[in-house]
Amino acid sequence: MRLRVEFTTEPFDLDEAPAHALVAREVVEAVELDAVDVGPFGNTAEGGADVVLDAVDTLLRRTLQAGATRISLQVTVIGEGVR
C-alpha cells in the first residue's frame, strides 16, 4: 500500500522557519520516501505504508519536542505497491 501524508506544524513564523519546521523537514528528508514537497504552508510526502507511518511517528514526536504546539496531518491511501 502507498500513502501520502500532508502536514503542517504550528506556530507559524513568516520571517524565519521555526525549529519545529526545520525538524519536520529533516525527518521527511532522512527517510526513503518516493516524493517529498516541503513548503512554507504545507508539506507532502509519499511512499510505502511502513515508511510513511514510521516517518509520521518520528515527525510527531520530534516536532513536539522542538516546540510545535499544533500538528495537522492527513494520510491518504494512493495505491497498492511496495511496502
Side-chain angles (χ1 to χ4, degrees):
M1 176 184 327
R2 289 183 43 77
L3 301 176
R4 174 184 301 123
V5 61
E6 300 171 66
F7 65 92
T8 58
T9 60
E10 296 178 40
F12 294 114
D13 183 342
L14 296 177
D15 296 326
E16 183 177 335
H20 57 81
L22 297 175
V23 166
R25 177 181 225 155
E26 282 177 18
V27 169
V28 296
E29 290 180 343
V31 294
E32 293 184 31
L33 294 164
D34 300 331
V36 174
D37 182 20
V38 178
F41 299 108
N43 309 284
T44 305
E46 295 179 8
D50 291 339
V51 175
V52 170
L53 294 173
D54 286 346
V56 166
D57 178 62
T58 302
L59 177 100
L60 292 172
R61 293 173 189 278
R62 292 199 46 213
T63 56
L64 288 169
Q65 290 171 347
T69 58
R70 180 180 186 138
I71 303 161
S72 301
L73 68 93
Q74 178 174 305
V75 178
T76 304
V77 175
I78 56 173
E80 297 299 317
V82 180
R83 289 182 144 260

